Amino acid sequence: MELSDTLAFSEEQCMLRDMVRDFARNEIAPIAIEIDVEERFPRELFRAMGELGLLGIPFPEEVGGAGAGWVGYCLAIEEVARVCASTALGLAAAVSLGIGPIVDFASEAQRERYLPDLLSGEKLAAFGLTEPNAGSDAGGSMETRAERQGDHWVIRGTKYWITNGNHADVFVVTAKTDPEAGTRGISSFIVERGAEGFSTHPIKDKLGMRGSDTAELVFDGVRVPHDNLVGKEGEGFRAFLATLDGGRIVIGALSLGIAQGAYERARAYALERKTFGKPIAEHQAIAFKLADMATRIHAARLLVYHAARRKDAGLPFKREAAMAKLFASEACYAITKDAVQIHGGNGYTREYEVERMFRDAKLCEIGEGTSEIQRLVISREILREAAAAV
């Protein structure tokens, strides 16, 4: 019995998990090393995932989604990440960051225009928030500006570390429309590839997630129609905070998938590799590492799916999402490090894949809010609750 079985997933959720697992093993795993070594974004996989309905897993059926909720979505991300974290990150960015704001905050006309192609995988979405000087302080330090000119907005600025940026067709980006209003002066816009003055530039030579497409977005007087404003003017900050809260659950699931993949490889290797006349798994030093890895994975899984279920139920989940992301990402880093150690010298080579997982794991502690930011979110939430109880 798998540890995940103790979470009592529904029959439909298990069927979804198994379908994605088969796809990941048959279509993604055979090219995972190639994706990493060549820093290749596998666009063909995203079209295939679109055909399977994976790009619409968490969204309601009435907008063209699968209606499987965030539990189903996390199951899919976990399965893809078990074999290729780069592909899982691209999927996560396309769905929760790119498509999510359109589903949650866009007008009906915007949904009708963009969602069919995005959900089918025919087109790809990206989310433009982070800037060269605006990372953890994305709201306060944002420098990108959008100025109203008649029935258009003119956007000037730069976004950085944008996942899927070089391959995406549709971008949801944030910009200050009223710089004097602070975070209440931030709005969101849909920008399409090909807009005059808009360009993307690859960011290469990353430590890990090398097959995940990362870009700089440049807005040099890009004109977009007023109809491309997402939600109301000045509501962009609230929208992107809500988007990030959900995204943190997904990064927790991605971390969980990497950790699970590394653990499975380390366990199999420990049962096969022999020293001093017996499998190294029977040596206490290795057995205890495996025990710690399994325990961390189980705890991370409980946190991730608890947060996902709260979101699906419409309950507050900010604290739970931050806890899931924090614990799962740090557990992932520890587990992949131990997986390399268990493999010894072989763990330092590409052939055994745990070295890639170790490199990929680090981003999980940084993206969608660093571990330090997660601790800030958690502390604010628990102190706010304590103050309210007085």
Side-chain angles (χ1 to χ4, degrees):
M1 182 180 73
E2 293 192 359
L3 292 175
S4 57
D5 293 336
T6 64
L7 285 163
F9 293 122
S10 69
E11 182 179 354
E12 291 78 10
Q13 289 166 342
C14 290
M15 290 174 63
L16 171 63
R17 178 195 63 193
D18 294 344
M19 181 266 288
V20 179
R21 181 176 295 174
D22 288 342
F23 176 80
R25 286 176 173 173
N26 296 328
E27 304 298 329
I28 304 177
I31 60 173
I33 294 177
E34 170 194 325
I35 288 171
D36 175 71
V37 172
E38 298 181 1
E39 295 186 85
R40 184 174 77 81
F41 181 76
R43 186 66 181 85
E44 72 280 6
L45 290 179
F46 287 81
R47 292 191 180 93
M49 288 189 287
E51 293 174 0
L52 289 174
L54 303 193
L55 295 174
I57 286 177
F59 305 123
E61 294 180 6
E62 53 264 31
V63 301
W70 283 70
V71 170
Y73 177 33
C74 287
L75 284 169
I77 291 293
E78 181 184 345
E79 290 302 323
V80 175
R82 282 171 80 172
V83 301
C84 181
S86 290
T87 303
L89 181 62
L91 177 62
V95 177
S96 54
L97 298 185
I99 301 174
I102 297 176
V103 171
D104 293 338
F105 304 107
S107 66
E108 189 61 33
Q110 290 168 337
R111 290 179 181 176
E112 291 178 357
R113 179 176 179 180
Y114 294 107
L115 287 182
D117 285 343
L118 294 175
L119 293 172
S120 69
E122 184 64 28
K123 292 185 177 181
L124 197 64
F127 180 62
L129 170 64
T130 303
E131 300 182 2
N133 296 313
S136 295
D137 184 21
S141 298
M142 187 179 297
E143 297 176 354
T144 300
R145 301 286 189 267
E147 179 183 353
R148 181 78 182 266
Q149 293 183 1
D151 59 355
H152 283 74
W153 291 87
V154 179
I155 305 175
R156 292 183 173 85
T158 302
K159 300 294 181 179
Y160 211 62
W161 299 118
I162 307 306
T163 305
N164 297 343
N166 295 295
H167 290 269
D169 306 282
V170 178
F171 301 80
V172 179
V173 303
T174 54
K176 286 189 175 179
T177 49
D178 183 359
E180 303 302 319
T183 56
R184 294 187 178 183
I186 296 174
S187 304
S188 296
F189 300 89
I190 296 175
V191 177
E192 296 183 42
R193 181 173 295 281
E196 186 175 355
F198 175 59
S199 60
T200 65
H201 308 279
I203 298 173
K204 293 287 189 179
D205 298 322
K206 297 174 295 184
L207 170 69
M209 301 287 189
R210 289 166 54 84
S212 169
D213 174 42
T214 311
E216 175 188 39
L217 314 182
V218 177
F219 302 87
D220 186 10
V222 177
R223 291 173 60 84
V224 298
H226 178 68
D227 289 344
N228 283 30
L229 176 70
V230 179
K232 295 181 180 179
E233 184 179 344
E235 292 186 350
F237 185 76
R238 179 182 64 84
F240 83 62
L241 284 182
T243 298
L244 290 177
D245 282 340
R248 285 166 181 160
I249 303 174
V250 180
I251 296 301
L254 191 152
S255 303
L256 180 57
I258 298 172
Q260 183 72 38
Y263 165 69
E264 290 170 353
R265 284 163 174 77
R267 182 182 59 190
Y269 185 84
L271 290 168
E272 294 172 0
R273 177 73 170 178
K274 292 183 178 180
T275 61
F276 303 103
K278 60 183 179 180
I280 62 173
E282 295 182 18
H283 296 298
Q284 190 178 78
I286 302 300
F288 279 14
K289 283 187 184 298
L290 292 171
D292 287 343
M293 294 163 81
T295 301
R296 287 189 175 110
I297 287 171
H298 190 49
R301 182 166 282 118
L302 294 172
L303 283 167
V304 167
Y305 288 101
H306 173 64
R309 282 176 169 148
R310 287 187 66 87
K311 180 168 172 56
D312 281 341
L315 298 171
F317 65 91
K318 178 185 287 289
R319 179 186 64 181
E320 289 78 9
M323 287 179 171
K325 199 269 187 186
L326 172 65
F327 185 88
S329 63
E330 294 192 345
C332 178
Y333 187 75
I335 288 164
T336 55
K337 178 172 69 70
D338 280 348
V340 172
Q341 192 73 14
I342 288 172
H343 279 75
N346 287 328
Y348 213 63
T349 66
R350 286 175 178 157
E351 179 184 356
Y352 288 83
E353 298 192 87
V354 290
E355 65 84 30
R356 183 185 78 241
M357 296 173 175
F358 178 47
R359 289 186 286 105
D360 290 342
K362 188 57 191 174
L363 183 65
C364 297
E365 296 182 315
I366 298 172
E368 296 245 12
T370 62
S371 291
E372 291 76 16
I373 290 296
Q374 304 314 311
R375 289 183 168 90
L376 180 63
V377 170
I378 295 165
S379 62
R380 284 177 174 172
E381 288 295 299
I382 60 178
L383 293 174
R384 180 184 59 78
E385 292 173 5
V390 174

